[in-house]
Amino acid sequence: MTPLSAAAGVETVLKMLEGRWKLVILFHLFGGNVLRFSELERAIPAISQKMLIQQLRQMEADGIVSRIIHHQVPPKVEYCLTEWGQALCPALDALLKWAALKDEKIAAITALHAAKTGTYSEA
């Protein structure tokens, strides 16, 4: 794999995950959770119904989310992660740990600066 092809691959994956709500939806579905549409609506109250539908459909088209339709009255639709979607969990966990390193580094730099200058500020 060349740096160019690696960058293109990462860009493709990031495009699949872009959108304000996709990661929030994913975190609700991790761990094998199977949720009805209404349960996702309640779990993410700030998202509109239209946006939830749009984000779920995009992730379904990308093979990240599976939509299960139960033919009954009233209709029942459930969502879960595909095996490939569930495989995102360790990668996103690694990103969270990486992001936490930044906060630790900033705190260490701030403390070092305060010790050198004799000034202390609360960040």
Side-chain angles (χ1 to χ4, degrees):
M1 180 176 286
T2 67
L4 187 59
S5 65
V10 170
E11 184 178 359
T12 300
V13 171
L14 289 177
K15 283 183 181 181
M16 283 185 215
L17 299 176
E18 74 182 352
R20 181 174 178 190
W21 300 105
K22 285 184 181 177
L23 292 174
V24 175
I25 295 166
L26 285 174
F27 278 102
H28 282 286
L29 295 174
F30 278 142
N33 290 335
V34 178
L35 297 176
R36 292 181 73 162
F37 183 83
S38 60
E39 291 172 315
L40 281 168
E41 276 185 307
R42 282 192 297 277
I44 314 168
I47 192 171
S48 70
Q49 189 177 67
K50 178 184 175 185
M51 183 58 66
L52 180 57
I53 290 168
Q54 180 182 339
Q55 301 281 277
L56 285 166
R57 284 185 180 161
Q58 288 173 359
M59 288 192 291
E60 183 183 10
D62 289 333
I64 298 168
V65 169
S66 180
R67 183 174 184 236
I68 306 159
I69 302 169
H70 300 277
H71 298 287
Q72 64 185 46
V73 177
K76 180 179 173 182
V77 178
E78 295 177 316
Y79 294 90
C80 63
L81 294 177
T82 62
E83 188 176 324
W84 188 63
Q86 189 65 41
L88 275 169
C89 189
L92 293 178
D93 188 48
L95 278 174
L96 286 171
K97 289 177 184 173
W98 175 74
L101 290 175
K102 179 183 176 201
D103 293 337
E104 291 172 17
K105 186 170 180 120
I106 289 171
I109 290 169
T110 302
L112 182 62
H113 176 71
K116 284 184 178 179
T117 62
T119 59
Y120 297 93
S121 68
E122 295 185 25

